[in-house]
Amino acid sequence: MKHAAAAAGIMIVPRHVLGGKGFLAPSDKLLVAGIGVGGKGRSDLAKFYESGKADIAFLCDVDQRQIGDSTKSFPKAKFYTDWRELFDKESRNFDAVSVSTPDHNHAVQAMAAMQLGKHVYVQKPLTHDIYEARKLTEAAKKYKVVTQMGNQGASGDGVRQLVEWYDAGIIGDVHTVQIWTNRPIWPQGIAWPSKAEVPKELNWDLWLGTAPYRDYADKVVPRSWRGWWDYGTGALGDLGCHLMEAPFRVLNLKYALDCQASVSSVFVDWGQRGFFPDTPPPSSHATLTFPQTDKTSGPVVMHWMDGGIKPDRPAELGPDELFGDGNSGILFIGTKGKMMASEYAANPRLLPTSRMNEVKVPQKLARVPGSADGHYAQWVEGAIAGYGNKELSASFDVAGPLTEAVLMANLAIRVADIPKPRANGRGMDYPGSNTKLLWDHQNMRVTNYDEANKFVKREYRQGWTLGV
């Protein structure tokens, strides 16, 4: 197996080689290996480097079309196409790993890194499946590594302002949360495109990784993979962790009790509804119920809406005022009032917005330096400090249950879209769309609709394993 290396070598000895966990190298730099270095992966690496406390030691991507800007930004970094080869050959030469690949490969890459004792930063959603999220959460504790999910709004000032308002009793007890987004902004509810020639720069088999083999199709890589269940997790996977994080933090939510969903139909002919099992529907509405917490007086119902569906505008919002940020938003409905925020919990507002001039609550929560942008440096500094020595905004003990809730909603969406022939042979029924899925979080099982459980833990392609 071949790899290409930049001319310059690694100049800094990894911290773990010099003195073990928690030791500060003379350079005080964390050496990071990036898996998936185009797009968001590239910008994540740049943010780690900009902290002034990290160097990018290795770049890894199965698609060489994605590496141009990253190799220019980090000319000393050695390049690999296969992350397994990188780990086998170079594990003594880096301290931490950034995973920014499609969702279906997050878990195997992050788990392998943690088993090597490497700190990990994983893009949202943490994993593709609920089972994977639970196992990564457990592994972070087992291997005592510093972890962070890439939902940078968790480090923002906005969510901390929302917590302070809620804890001060400004809107009373929250019983309902409404969340919406205009995503997807990629095709969904379509048939798999026709076979195309694999670009010479792309290792298609390695890109597929844990997913079942199928012939390459144009435009799936690098941008449309989110709209295919084998690789992505739809609009929920894209923005769910960004938008659900604030309710989780404000209300101390963890595992859902149940979930149900309705989805939009795709009609291929008059009266004939299309069935496209490989892809999420164009739009959906999922409803999760969470049990009472120490910050609520009863259960909390959370509504997720995507594909342009929005909840009714609250009466307290002026007719010309933006609802959320226009495309996405979070609305908390309490017994004494409402509060709202945009994507990443930015721009928090009390409703009516005139209350913003009337309500003054003392700041009680420390802010992350740099707010949302400080999310990256926070992980770097946490890794340098060592496991358990610095609080992080989205460590896996927080990000794992959040991801499970996101993926629980996807369970309901997936089963709502599965047809079954009617007994009389005339047409189809959609029993999943009429079922509230009851969730046993301890055993990770839907207790009343077994067909949903095949999506809790998928079967990997032969040759791939999570290693647990």
Side-chain angles (χ1 to χ4, degrees):
M1 200 174 292
K2 296 180 179 179
H3 67 275
I10 304 302
M11 304 301 293
I12 302 170
V13 180
R15 296 170 56 254
H16 71 273
V17 172
L18 291 173
K21 292 180 180 179
F23 177 80
L24 295 183
S27 61
D28 194 18
K29 293 290 181 72
L30 187 76
L31 291 189
V32 179
I35 308 175
V37 298
K40 188 59 181 167
R42 180 170 59 247
S43 65
D44 284 349
L45 294 174
K47 291 292 187 183
F48 302 144
Y49 182 77
E50 288 168 10
S51 73
K53 299 179 180 180
D55 275 331
I56 310 307
F58 296 95
L59 303 172
C60 182
D61 204 299
V62 299
D63 189 348
Q64 296 190 46
R65 296 172 299 178
Q66 299 298 310
I67 68 170
D69 290 341
S70 290
T71 53
K72 291 177 184 176
S73 299
F74 311 110
K76 294 180 181 179
K78 187 182 289 188
F79 176 71
Y80 282 83
T81 56
D82 190 331
W83 62 270
R84 299 167 300 180
E85 182 187 12
L86 166 62
F87 285 12
D88 285 345
K89 292 184 176 180
E90 307 285 3
S91 63
R92 290 181 57 83
N93 297 321
F94 59 88
D95 307 302
V97 176
S98 171
V99 175
S100 189
T101 54
D103 304 346
H104 67 295
N105 285 325
H106 283 187
V108 291
Q109 293 161 346
M111 181 65 77
M114 289 192 286
Q115 289 173 340
L116 290 173
K118 308 303 179 184
H119 310 297
V120 289
Y121 184 102
V122 182
Q123 258 308 321
K124 51 76 195 168
L126 185 60
T127 61
H128 185 279
D129 305 337
I130 291 174
Y131 173 82
E132 294 173 328
R134 186 72 59 88
K135 291 304 173 183
L136 288 198
T137 303
E138 294 169 355
K141 295 177 181 178
K142 177 179 179 179
Y143 298 109
K144 293 181 167 47
V145 292
V146 176
T147 57
Q148 185 96 300
M149 184 169 71
N151 56 326
Q152 60 269 31
S155 291
D157 293 352
V159 67
R160 287 156 180 77
Q161 178 67 84
L162 292 169
V163 171
E164 287 165 349
W165 283 337
Y166 186 67
D167 287 355
I170 302 302
I171 66 167
D173 184 70
V174 165
H175 49 81
T176 304
V177 178
Q178 296 177 330
I179 299 172
W180 66 98
T181 179
N182 67 335
R183 307 294 172 95
I185 53 175
W186 50 84
Q188 289 187 182
I190 60 173
W192 182 254
S194 58
K195 180 179 177 180
E197 184 177 351
V198 180
K200 64 181 184 301
E201 301 92 346
L202 173 67
N203 184 328
W204 175 239
D205 185 73
L206 188 53
W207 187 93
L208 285 172
T210 63
Y213 184 85
R214 69 166 76 208
D215 289 330
Y216 174 81
D218 194 25
K219 297 182 180 178
V220 172
V221 180
R223 299 196 182 280
S224 295
W225 54 265
R226 289 192 186 280
W228 302 99
W229 285 126
D230 279 349
Y231 322 122
T233 45
L236 268 156
D238 188 35
L239 280 188
C241 293
H242 288 312
L243 291 164
M244 289 187 186
E245 194 276 336
F248 262 66
R249 189 178 299 267
V250 171
L251 304 174
N252 279 352
L253 303 180
K254 198 164 186 181
Y255 296 111
L257 295 170
D258 58 59
C259 187
Q260 57 189 314
S262 57
V263 302
S264 60
S265 299
V266 179
F267 290 91
V268 295
D269 201 353
W270 181 261
Q272 183 180 354
R273 179 174 172 178
F275 176 47
F276 302 103
D278 296 330
T279 175
S283 59
S284 58
H285 178 184
T287 306
L288 292 150
T289 306
F290 293 89
Q292 179 180 344
T293 74
D294 61 338
K295 297 183 71 175
T296 69
S297 62
V300 175
V301 177
M302 179 186 292
H303 294 268
W304 165 271
M305 305 173 202
D306 61 39
I309 302 173
K310 293 182 180 181
D312 291 340
R313 290 173 64 88
E316 299 90 340
L317 188 67
D320 299 318
E321 292 183 293
L322 272 181
F323 191 17
D325 58 22
N327 293 322
S328 303
I330 312 161
L331 179 67
F332 295 81
I333 302 175
T335 54
K336 293 167 53 180
K338 299 182 177 92
M339 60 186 185
M340 177 177 69
S342 303
E343 193 175 308
Y344 309 130
N347 192 22
R349 285 149 285 171
L350 295 168
L351 297 182
T353 54
S354 59
R355 296 193 75 192
M356 298 289 289
N357 299 319
E358 304 164 1
V359 175
K360 303 298 179 185
V361 171
Q363 179 178 317
K364 293 185 177 180
L365 300 178
R367 281 7 183 201
V368 175
S371 192
D373 276 346
H375 197 64
Y376 311 90
Q378 186 191 62
W379 174 68
V380 170
E381 292 166 1
I384 290 172
Y387 179 78
N389 292 321
K390 181 179 174 63
E391 183 178 355
L392 274 77
S393 300
S395 56
F396 288 2
D397 59 325
V398 174
L402 170 60
T403 299
E404 287 193 35
V406 168
L407 300 176
M408 179 67 199
N410 261 343
L411 286 188
I413 289 169
R414 293 191 76 165
V415 301
D417 207 26
I418 297 175
K420 290 188 176 181
R422 291 174 181 161
N424 62 10
R426 298 177 181 176
M428 296 285 183
D429 283 325
Y430 293 80
S433 66
N434 295 309
T435 303
K436 178 185 287 188
L437 304 182
L438 304 180
W439 182 240
D440 176 356
H441 79 265
Q442 185 171 358
N443 295 302
M444 289 184 287
R445 284 194 62 80
V446 173
T447 59
N448 64 325
Y449 197 83
D450 192 55
E451 188 165 358
N453 289 312
K454 65 185 178 183
F455 303 123
V456 174
K457 179 188 177 184
R458 66 198 158 97
E459 293 296 323
Y460 288 171
R461 187 160 57 118
Q462 186 173 1
W464 293 90
T465 176
L466 192 57
V468 294

